[in-house]
Amino acid sequence: MTVTVATLGFPRIGPRRELKTALESHWSGKSDAAALLATAAGLRGQAWARQRDLGADIVPSNDFSLYDQMLDTSAMVGAVPAIYGWKGGPVGLATYFAMARGSQGGHVHHEGCTHSHAHEGEGAPAAEMTKWFDTNYHYLVPEFTEGQHFALSSTKAIDEFLEAKAQGILTRPVLIGPVTFLKLGKSRTEGFDQRALLPALLPIYAGVLKRLAAAGADWVQIDEPCLVLDLDDRDREMLRLAYAELVKAAPGLKLMLATYFGGLGDNLATALALPVQGLHVDLVRAPEQLDAVVAGARPDLVLSLGVIDGRNIWKADLSAILDRVEPVVKAGRNVILAPSCSLLHTPIDLDRETALDPEIRDWLAFAVQKVAELAAMARALNEGRDAVRSTLDAASAAVASRRTSPRINNPAVQKRAAQKDATLARRKSAFAARRRVQRARLNLPAYPTTTIGSFPQTPEVRKARADHDKGVIGDVAYEQFLRDETARTVQWQEEAGLDVLVHGEFERNDMVQYFGEQLSGFAFTKYAWVQSYGSRCVRPPIIFGDVARPQPMTVAWWEYAQSLTAKPMKGMLTGPVTILNWSFVRDDQPRSATCRQIAFAIRDEVVDLEKAGCAVIQIDEAALREGLPLRRGEWQHYLDWAVESFRITASGVADATQIHTHMCYSEFNDIIASIGAMDADVISIETARSQMELLDAFASYRYPAEIGPGVYDIHSPRVPAVGEMAALLTAAANRLPADQLWVNPDCGLKTRKWPEVKPAIANMVAAAQAARTA
Ligand SMILES: Nc1nc2c(c(=O)[nH]1)N[C@@H](CNc1ccc(C(=O)N[C@@H](CCC(=O)N[C@@H](CCC(=O)N[C@@H](CCC(=O)O)C(=O)O)C(=O)O)C(=O)O)cc1)CN2
Ligand SMILES: [Zn+2]
């Protein structure tokens, strides 16, 4: 049986972020819908042709999206909340983008926002956005109500299939499966479990499948990544019901059920019993499941083996993969080779990275290179390994070079990380004692005020950095520009009456990339953008080797900022867990080991800041929660090493140095013990939208240290009134002792504009003053 190659999805932002440019131009009114749609069609056409030319036999369609594939699914089934004023019929662009970004009524929802929020009287807020499994990609959360009516409201899946067909490519359309779609959504009706909507939803899916079959599709890929999560009996029953129904929808149409981001585990039997014609499994995250899948699968079940890592950028050891796949093929199985998941989570093309060190470059494969790897392996299986001998040898050589390169190994770093000394992860005294000396040193008022770190990254700031990168302005001019921005911001904070100041982070492109660029063991790219949400992208640094900090990274900026004021200036760092979770990480040692190395590097920075005189140091761990494993049984192990890494970072300083941490997500109940174990002196969290309910977790845990519950929803341009923030502080003080409380916004202010920030912070300071005298 011939082995074929499939991809499950391809990056859609475009090799030069053409989609980002087109979207932002359209949103700002500079170009019309036709121009946007033409760019989008061009990108789709390019991606299909490219994958085919690289050797993919099965090319996906409907993996493209103007914003997000979950939002596309909501549009497909007509799950549009009433606030968007949609009257039925096809969901048009205006409704689609209103759900993605909020709608006018004076206010366009800005692209820098990751949350839903209430904009009273300002049109409709955007739908809530949240993390897609354990990735840094965000999807728009579908919303359901009891009695929800569904209707086919977007023919995008069929249209794009026909578009590719007209280009001469018979694609395999991709749909998000109905069970994953419902499970990842939320119910707007109190007490209503949206899973009850499955019977109402299935006819829409069946209708789409019928139309696809009529348009000429032979296979459809249905993604059910929920199959790698902990499921209950009702979920499993839903899967049985859904697929019994859907395989009957269109005679002759075959379904490839795709699972990814983990192993099927205790859902294996459920998956194998579904009457679908093909099953895709992730053999990168869960290589051990291959034997059980093969043993349990019906002989006629087509197996799509996800052997190339869709979540990382390393070249694969092709011969080692062939060793594992060959016996399956020899046994007469019908096998497709594929990436572990959609290639959406990798950058597009390594060939553009001409500035990367050639040795490191040789270790890497982006989306384009990964398809070529698959094609080479398929040829080896079909024609014998000699047919691609040089490719296989080159892959083995690259893997061997990465394993043994002196660039990867730093014995001093390894020795340091191997230390078992428990005092490295322990502050000198317990919190109560630290608090006494910190209070004496800082002498802050009750309800001390501060901000989370960044101030607006204006177009001028971004332009100065781009001009500096291009050589249009020199180092001196760029430094001076940043000093001026910093000085203005420090002076303004003094005038605003804030108690603990920040320098503003103007010198940083991104809170992770900035550090990656200065640490050894990291490589960074010029064009390797990965979509985070909508038009927003990140360039995750690549951690290829042992991590060290050759020299201080932030001390000079801190010293400059502190020289401008007598008030305490916070040192501002990104923590090890967040750097790890927002980077491409080496796969030749456990993530925990890499995290521990980063922890020591950042610890050195903490110590150097203290030496320079810094009394308050914030170590951001915004991504601590998103690193949680998908299976609950694996949580504690992760939390233990993540917290240990944070503690290593924070524990090199004297009792009198106050360590802050910051986390901007709003769920602490299930991990509160680990938050406590971080042993920070102060934690700032996002709470403005939850009316301080979040603090209940801290209260019932009797969290001993200080907390800055956000009182200003920074994701909205709206300026909160003094009374509103004062009421939030009262609500906080009803839950926790007042002497534990700080006053701050939910998160950094980099995506906001100065005309919003200035009055909002002035009001926040006034609210703190009111609380002090209450
Ligand atoms: N890494 C990371 N992950 C995160 C977050 C985060 O802050 N960082 N926040 C959460 C939400 N996710 C987000 C992801 C991206 C952005 C974001 O703003 N991205 C920017 C790019 C940020 C950046 O790297 N900026 C660089 C490069 C900017 C750029 O595009 N420059 C142009 C030139 C611009 C000019 O000439 O004026 C170019 O290179 O082509 C800089 O400021 O230096 C974007 O897509 O627009 C925001 C939130 C969760 N995950
Ligand atoms: Zn934050």
Side-chain angles (χ1 to χ4, degrees), residues 17 20 114 131 136 138 457 462-463 465-466 470 509-513 529 532-533 535-539 582 750:
R17 289 186 294 162
K20 172 190 178 66
T114 60
K131 296 273 169 185
N136 197 356
H138 305 65
Q457 285 271 334
R462 295 229 197 258
K463 180 166 188 325
R465 185 156 42 250
K470 286 182 228 149
N509 42 15
D510 174 85
M511 60 187 281
V512 167
Q513 198 184 352
W529 294 98
S532 182
Y533 65 91
S535 69
R536 292 285 179 171
C537 304
V538 293
R539 274 174 300 186
W582 287 350
K750 64 186 166 199

Side-chain angles (χ1 to χ4, degrees), residues 1-233:
M1 205 135 2
T2 310
V3 175
T4 54
V5 168
T7 59
L8 308 187
F10 204 68
R12 52 210 185 198
I13 201 79
R16 289 178 164 68
R17 289 186 294 162
E18 291 89 343
L19 183 61
K20 172 190 178 66
T21 313
L23 283 167
E24 290 176 1
S25 160
H26 175 63
W27 293 334
S28 69
K30 287 196 207 93
S31 57
D32 59 13
L36 171 62
L37 296 179
T39 301
L43 289 171
R44 286 193 292 269
Q46 237 180 61
W48 289 322
R50 189 135 198 213
Q51 292 172 81
R52 180 198 53 196
D53 296 348
L54 287 163
D57 305 291
I58 301 164
V59 171
S61 60
N62 202 40
D63 57 329
F64 179 86
S65 179
L66 284 173
Y67 203 98
D68 164 51
Q69 67 273 11
M70 285 289 277
L71 179 61
D72 294 344
T73 310
S74 295
M76 178 177 93
V77 302
V80 179
I83 48 165
Y84 300 104
W86 175 66
K87 302 277 186 303
V91 172
L93 268 193
T95 304
Y96 181 83
F97 286 136
M99 289 166 76
R101 312 171 61 238
S103 69
Q104 271 77 1
H107 158 62
V108 179
H109 191 77
H110 71 97
E111 323 79 59
C113 162
T114 60
H115 304 265
S116 70
H117 26 75
H119 300 292
E120 293 101 325
E122 289 190 301
E128 185 180 326
M129 188 147 51
T130 196
K131 296 273 169 185
W132 178 243
F133 295 80
D134 57 355
T135 72
N136 197 356
Y137 176 83
H138 305 65
Y139 70 93
L140 286 147
V141 180
E143 284 178 25
F144 306 106
T145 50
E146 189 164 11
Q148 173 88 41
H149 171 73
F150 296 108
L152 180 62
S153 307
S154 161
T155 52
K156 175 178 179 292
I158 300 115
D159 301 343
E160 291 181 8
F161 173 81
L162 289 169
E163 193 181 306
K165 195 176 170 202
Q167 196 180 316
I169 301 180
L170 194 80
T171 55
R172 186 172 75 186
V174 186
L175 302 174
I176 302 277
V179 180
T180 296
F181 177 64
L182 284 177
K183 266 185 79 67
L184 266 47
K186 64 172 188 187
S187 165
R188 275 271 172 207
T189 310
E190 182 102 34
F192 172 66
D193 185 340
Q194 74 267 12
R195 293 182 294 180
L197 296 170
L198 185 68
L201 183 62
L202 289 176
I204 314 303
Y205 272 84
V208 172
L209 294 179
K210 271 197 195 78
R211 285 176 184 232
L212 284 170
D218 54 358
W219 280 88
V220 171
Q221 171 187 327
I222 305 198
D223 287 3
E224 290 284 14
C226 72
L227 272 160
V228 309
L229 304 176
D230 294 320
L231 298 180
D232 62 22
D233 289 344

